[in-house]
Each structure stands twice: as C-alpha cells, then as structure tokens.
Amino acid sequence: WGVDLLKFDGCNSGTLDLLAEGYRRMSLALNKTGRSIVYSCEWPFYLRPVQQPNYTEIKQYCNHWRNFFDVYDSWGSIKSILEWTALHQDSIVKIAGPGGWNDPDMASKATPTSLSISKTSFPWLPEAKWLLQNKEVIAINQDPLGKQGYQIAKDKSFELWERPLSGQAYAVAVRNNQEIGGPQNFTFSLTFLGNGLACNPACSIQQVLPASRDWGVYNWVSSLSVEVNPTGTVLLKV
C-alpha cells in the first residue's frame, strides 16, 4: 500500500495483556513487510489508569506513543497536554530519543512533525505556510540529538522550557499562559539554562519565533527579557 505511518489505537482491546500482545504483534508484522513504517501506539495511555507503563519495553516495539487525552482545537486542550507533560516529565523525558518518542498528539515536544489536514481544503494562510516551511523551526524539530524538551521554570503567567540540541546548543521556549491583555515581559537568568552550562562563560542567542532575529552574545550571569503575546511563544536558539 505504500504506507509510511500506522497509528494503532487501543480501543476495545479487552484486557491489558491483550492490549500489549496486540501492540507487539503489529510491530513484528510491520517489520516483516521490509518497508520502513513509523509505528504510532497508544499503549501507555491505556496502561496509565491501572499501572505505570514500562517505557523501555514500549520503545522496543513502537516509534512514538500517546500518554494523554486527544488534542482538540482549543487553547485549553493544548495547555492541558503541556501541563500533563511538565507534571510527568521526570518519568517520560529520559526515554525519548531517536526511534522512540512521547507523542503529545500534536502539541510541542521532540516528536516527528505531522499534519492532520486535507491539502485541498486547508486554508493556506501566509502565516501558516511560513511556519510550516520555516527552516530554523524544522531544524530544531529534526535535531539529530533527539532529546525531548522539558519545563525548567514557571510562574503565574509564564513557562520556561528548554531542549538540548546537537553542537552543545539549546532550544529555549518562553510561553505566555495569559489569554487576555497585551504582550508581557518575562525576565530570566541565563544561569537557568543547561544546568548552568549553556552560557558558561558566554553564548550567542538567536530568536527563531515569532520572527528571526540575532540577539548577540551574552555572558553567563546575564539576564534576558522577552516580550510574549498572550497564548504566544517566543522560541530562541542558544
């Protein structure tokens, strides 16, 4: 059939033993085709209400796996997925890497990028096309190191996330959780980044989103002030 990806749901699978057996068997069947097919599972999502998933085993069979509820076309849905990710990052971040990923159901993590759209009906607005074809963003998403991002700081309005990249670089995201009002500033110390190593003794900073801009060179004890729109994100490469 020329299939490149199979998403295998877990609905109506009966017992957890049958669920696990189904995911294992489908993995073996896909491998027997001789074709490179991405295998998307929902194995841990169905396990979590009953037991802690064995991510080491799951990664042996699946390329990426769902942990949380379906995403919906709402800001609240995206926030809930990111909040769940931050809450459980100690157990899920370490397993992610090339060949096996935590699947946020189309929110932001280190998973392969996928679009669930109709090419004939999708409104190709210039902003959407620019984002989907942004080489700097895609380079971060497809970084060969394959490390997953994680939250390193949070206050009432903002979240600070980082993701290790190859070449001793980091992707840094500042997210404004407010839903009303105008842009607000978030200031943080660069000593937060990379366990204190990202900017020691100095680092160059490039803004990737919402627009590409060179911020120059900063030293280890510098602070950075970022202006972010409500529900918006500023993405940096350090």
Side-chain angles (χ1 to χ4, degrees):
W1 290 351
V3 171
D4 293 314
L5 180 148
L6 176 73
K7 183 174 181 180
F8 199 28
D9 209 327
C11 298
N12 305 309
S13 55
T15 67
L16 293 182
D17 287 341
L18 287 173
L19 176 86
E21 184 65 16
Y23 279 117
R24 295 187 195 105
R25 288 193 178 198
M26 181 61 77
S27 177
L28 297 175
L30 292 175
N31 285 335
K32 285 181 179 179
T33 66
R35 180 180 177 85
S36 182
I37 301 174
V38 177
Y39 183 30
S40 176
C41 304
E42 300 200 350
W43 194 345
F45 174 70
Y46 288 90
L47 286 179
R48 274 195 170 271
V50 181
Q51 64 189 59
Q52 176 68 20
N54 181 346
Y55 285 103
T56 301
E57 180 187 22
I58 291 169
K59 189 173 182 177
Q60 287 180 327
Y61 293 97
C62 304
N63 296 122
H64 49 87
W65 46 84
R66 283 273 307 284
N67 290 296
F68 194 57
F69 296 115
D70 292 337
V71 68
Y72 292 96
D73 186 15
S74 75
W75 176 237
S77 175
I78 297 295
K79 284 178 67 175
S80 70
I81 292 172
L82 291 174
E83 288 167 358
W84 187 95
T85 299
L87 183 63
H88 296 86
Q89 63 185 21
D90 287 347
S91 64
I92 67 172
V93 167
K94 57 190 175 185
I95 194 65
W101 317 91
N102 292 293
D103 177 6
D105 205 23
M106 302 179 194
S108 59
K109 276 189 274 181
T111 47
T113 298
S114 60
L115 299 178
S116 182
I117 59 170
S118 166
K119 292 190 294 184
T120 57
S121 62
F122 183 69
W124 287 102
L125 301 175
E127 296 88 350
K129 186 176 181 180
W130 174 83
L131 180 62
L132 294 171
Q133 295 181 341
N134 188 306
K135 292 183 178 180
E136 293 177 299
V137 175
I138 296 300
I140 289 174
N141 175 261
Q142 297 183 356
D143 184 79
L145 190 62
K147 295 287 189 181
Q148 179 173 320
Y150 43 86
Q151 186 186 101
I152 58 174
K154 181 180 181 180
D155 65 16
K156 183 178 179 181
S157 300
F158 289 92
E159 295 179 9
L160 181 65
W161 294 67
E162 74 174 16
R163 179 185 172 189
L165 303 175
S166 55
Q168 297 181 314
Y170 287 84
V172 177
V174 181
R175 192 163 72 92
N176 185 348
N177 285 321
Q178 297 296 304
E179 300 182 23
I180 59 174
Q184 295 186 30
N185 284 307
F186 178 72
T187 301
F188 63 97
S189 172
L190 296 181
T191 57
F192 272 114
L193 305 181
N195 289 319
L197 300 176
C199 290
N200 188 2
C203 60
S204 62
I205 298 179
Q206 179 77 25
Q207 180 179 298
V208 178
L209 294 175
S212 180
R213 182 161 67 92
D214 186 6
W215 283 32
V217 177
Y218 292 77
N219 63 41
W220 184 63
V221 294
S222 299
S223 292
L224 206 63
S225 184
V226 181
E227 185 180 80
V228 193
N229 289 324
T231 74
T233 300
V234 169
L235 180 62
L236 308 171
K237 184 177 181 180
V238 178

